[in-house]
Amino acid sequence: MQRTALTARRRERELDELAAEPVDLLVVGGGVTGVGVALDAAARGLSVALVEAHDLAWGTSRWSSKLAHGGLRYLATGDVGVARESARERHVLMTRTAPHLVRALPQVLPLTSGVGPRQGITAGIGFGLGDLLRRDAGTSSDVLPGPRLARPGEAARLVPAVAREHLHGAWVAHDGQLVDDARLVVALARTAAGRGAKILTRVRATDLRADGATLQDTLTGTTLTARARVVVNATGVWAGTVDPSVRLRPSRGTHVVVPAARLGSPAGALMVPVPGSGSRFVFALPAQLGRVIIGLTDEEAPGPVPDVPVPTPSEIDFLLATVSRVLDRPLLPDDVVGAFAGLRPLVDRAGPDDGAGPGSADLSRRHLVEVSPSTGAVNVLGGKLTTYRSMAEDAVDLAVKHAGLTAGPCWTTNLPLVGAQPPVETPSLVEPVETRAQALAPALVARYGAESEQVLATAALPGAASAVGQGIAGTGHLDVTRAEVEWAVTHEGALDADDVLDRRTRIGLVPADRAAVRGVVEELVGDALARL
Ligand SMILES: Cc1cc2nc3c(=O)[nH]c(=O)nc-3n(C[C@H](O)[C@H](O)[C@H](O)COP(=O)(O)OP(=O)(O)OC[C@H]3O[C@@H](n4cnc5c(N)ncnc54)[C@H](O)[C@@H]3O)c2cc1C
């Protein structure tokens, strides 16, 4: 069994070990931040356990726009430091740690009657500044081409549904796009497990202290005490539920899913400025499984934090109306085959809530790393998916110092995740992932990189390479193989069909697709669990 393989059996064994033996560092929360911390700490030689109340990537980390972005939007709010950090981390992801999961995505901003001339000029200046960040980060134009003005024909080739009438041309600018956000989280968790970290899902921390936590195994109801020399709280928007000193101002972002065919199966993303804004855009992003996801909004979401946030009808209407301004045929509510929302864990630095703080669209995306005055744990909050690695580095630096641990320096910029090629110096070396696996379906390679062949080869159940079922709802592209379902159970810690449908694969983003294949997936998961 691979050291990086997460399974139900390993979970059971390591949970027993955690009850018996203290660890150096306990991480609470299995989103991108928590697994990033677990990997950073394990790579420095610390003994690590991570507990996640539900499943890996249960929270905000599966509801993102799936962009490894270079910080353009933070320039607009004057956050140059955040923008530079984003561009640097995008570079690390695309060239060293996860080149197999992140691709260069052309983004098309059509210059048409639906986009004001000032918005076109402002966007052009923004792209130029974003390109300076790319160069500053050392990302070559082979990896991410610079921005340029394109002719109408090229814009229409990249996004066929764009209205040709009054189309003068378009800005085309590239950014990084993840094949899937939850897949990045699982890859990080497995890489951490390969370095000895215990990754324990369905384990809720109910009481956080400086030297451990009370834990509940939600599968059995059993309670145990974990002892650690330091605890890191990476519970995102739920941080306030385990630490009363934390003050967050969650902001909801919503996306809708439409069949890619409805927009002419675009190769590029469409960017449409929000009316009246020079820095906010609605994106229509081509995604795996024959879909386009359209987002996003930025609405303050005060009050209790739900397990799964729900988009509102007005947010959905706003997204459809904004994108339709530049399309030849407007999108209608009937075109929507799925919708999802996520809550950004924005840190409220404004002092006591007097209601006079900035709107959530303006709150800084800077992350916060500090020792909690109330629990004594290290809180790591805010930030974003793209910058998980530097957040983890800061959190582990502080944890090591705070607890007086002996640990090596951080080296995660040079630590490839499972499925990545070995560290690469030049972008051309990124190519072999695809070249080597030419015979494999491109979709499989996009999801598993160098492990693609192994996913098929290690499957024990019959019909490994065949699809789990037909995509309905007009997508027609449900190219998830039966082998991937088995791999999710034998290597990626999936404990039931929901884990597979909603996080290891993203079939569940379209409820009709989910319902169509649920029976088959349940059967495959049952068989794979029985063979462990
Ligand atoms: C709509 C939207 C779009 C976004 N798009 C992008 C993007 O394109 N690119 C980008 O870089 N960033 C993006 N972001 C930001 C990014 O998604 C988040 O910053 C990031 O995912 C937060 O990760 P996290 O690990 O801190 O939190 P989460 O992913 O929410 O993880 C926290 C975890 O803690 C667990 N937990 C909670 N309480 C407990 C407990 N008591 N015990 C154990 N576990 C517990 C939860 O189950 C959850 O899994 C977007 C955010 C939103 C909302």
Side-chain angles (χ1 to χ4, degrees):
M1 181 58 68
Q2 271 186 357
R3 277 166 58 84
T4 58
L6 296 172
T7 63
R9 273 173 179 270
R10 178 170 177 171
R11 171 190 176 279
E12 234 170 77
R13 190 184 70 238
E14 292 187 339
L15 199 50
D16 287 345
E17 287 169 8
L18 181 60
E21 283 278 319
V23 288
D24 290 328
L25 190 143
L26 174 71
V27 190
V28 182
V32 73
T33 308
V35 293
V37 169
L39 174 58
D40 186 302
R44 296 192 202 202
L46 298 175
S47 61
V48 178
L50 176 146
V51 293
E52 159 56 49
H54 301 280
D55 181 27
L56 292 171
W58 167 274
T60 307
S61 298
R62 69 175 150 142
W63 303 128
S64 82
S65 306
K66 305 165 204 332
L67 292 173
H69 49 67
L72 186 55
R73 64 192 67 179
Y74 314 116
L75 280 182
T77 51
D79 262 336
V80 179
V82 176
R84 286 186 77 183
E85 182 191 33
S86 249
R88 248 191 350 253
E89 294 301 327
R90 176 182 66 181
H91 178 76
V92 171
L93 279 163
M94 293 189 79
T95 60
R96 270 176 261 152
T97 54
H100 60 310
L101 296 180
V102 189
R103 66 161 185 150
L105 171 74
Q107 303 180 125
V108 178
L109 190 145
L111 301 171
T112 175
S113 54
V115 176
R118 268 187 52 194
Q119 286 177 317
I121 293 168
T122 313
I125 295 169
F127 290 140
L129 292 173
D131 200 45
L132 290 178
L133 292 174
R134 170 184 70 80
R135 290 161 192 254
D136 180 59
T139 313
S140 84
S141 56
D142 289 345
V143 174
L144 268 182
R148 64 194 159 78
L149 278 169
R151 292 183 187 281
E154 188 189 348
R157 262 197 308 283
L158 285 167
V159 187
V162 79
R164 294 295 291 268
E165 210 184 338
H166 309 302
L167 180 66
H168 320 301
W171 278 108
V172 176
H174 285 74
D175 211 340
Q177 183 187 34
L178 285 152
V179 64
D180 183 45
D181 42 14
R183 186 136 287 286
L184 174 68
V185 174
V186 172
L188 280 160
R190 286 186 50 216
T191 311
R195 300 196 158 266
K198 303 181 199 323
I199 304 290
L200 305 168
T201 59
R202 311 293 202 280
V203 178
R204 178 177 288 281
T206 55
D207 178 26
L208 245 62
R209 299 176 292 277
D211 62 351
T214 306
L215 305 179
Q216 192 189 32
D217 177 349
T218 65
L219 292 180
T220 60
T222 318
T223 298
L224 63 125
T225 300
R227 287 166 298 142
R229 294 176 68 190
V230 66
V231 176
V232 176
N233 172 13
T235 52
V237 275
W238 293 275
T241 63
V242 287
D243 181 344
S245 74
V246 168
R247 292 188 334 106
L248 293 171
R249 292 184 54 183
S251 139
R252 192 177 53 248
T254 288
H255 292 85
V256 296
V257 186
V258 300
R262 177 61 185 79
L263 293 180
S265 300
L270 185 60
M271 283 176 85
V272 186
V274 170
S277 167
S279 62
R280 292 184 62 210
F281 299 91
V282 168
F283 287 81
L285 301 150
Q288 60 168 343
L289 311 183
R291 300 162 179 178
V292 165
I293 61 170
I294 300 175
L296 51 103
T297 55
D298 211 337
E299 300 287 334
E300 289 216 41
V305 178
D307 265 2
V308 178
V310 180
T312 64
S314 68
E315 286 172 311
I316 294 175
D317 288 348
F318 165 79
L319 292 172
L320 296 180
T322 307
V323 167
S324 293
R325 288 170 55 229
V326 303
L327 298 181
D328 58 357
R329 194 156 61 87
L331 285 170
L332 301 172
D334 276 356
D335 293 317
V336 174
V337 293
F340 59 92
L343 294 174
R344 284 187 195 79
L346 302 184
V347 180
D348 188 351
R349 294 174 164 89
D353 198 354
D354 53 8
S360 65
D362 301 321
L363 275 179
S364 171
R365 264 52 170 174
R366 239 169 298 152
H367 58 265
L368 177 82
V369 176
E370 67 179 14
V371 177
S372 162
S374 110
T375 63
V378 172
N379 287 333
V380 50
L381 299 166
K384 54 200 166 298
L385 206 78
T386 311
T387 55
Y388 79 84
R389 197 210 58 78
S390 60
M391 291 172 72
E393 177 174 354
D394 290 351
V396 178
D397 279 349
L398 179 60
V400 164
K401 192 166 157 217
H402 177 60
L405 303 177
T406 305
C410 173
W411 61 284
T412 47
T413 50
N414 286 312
L415 204 171
L417 307 188
V418 288
Q421 292 294 84
V424 290
E425 291 305 323
T426 60
S428 61
L429 293 180
V430 177
E431 282 163 18
V433 173
E434 278 164 30
T435 322
R436 248 172 21 92
Q438 252 165 7
L440 295 166
L444 194 73
V445 177
R447 293 194 279 266
Y448 301 91
E451 290 191 321
S452 309
E453 290 176 74
Q454 210 188 334
V455 171
L456 292 179
T458 54
L461 302 171
S466 55
V468 281
Q470 288 283 313
I472 60 169
T475 59
H477 265 87
L478 214 51
D479 52 14
V480 175
T481 57
R482 293 163 67 90
E484 288 172 76
V485 176
E486 188 175 336
W487 178 263
V489 174
T490 57
H491 288 76
E492 296 181 338
L495 300 181
D496 61 24
D498 291 344
D499 290 356
V500 175
L501 289 162
D502 296 330
R503 288 163 293 275
R504 302 307 177 277
T505 75
R506 301 311 297 276
I507 294 170
L509 286 180
V510 173
D513 284 346
R514 191 179 197 282
V517 301
R518 188 178 173 93
V520 178
V521 170
E522 273 177 353
E523 209 175 294
L524 289 169
V525 168
D527 286 353
L529 283 170
R531 283 167 184 264
L532 284 178

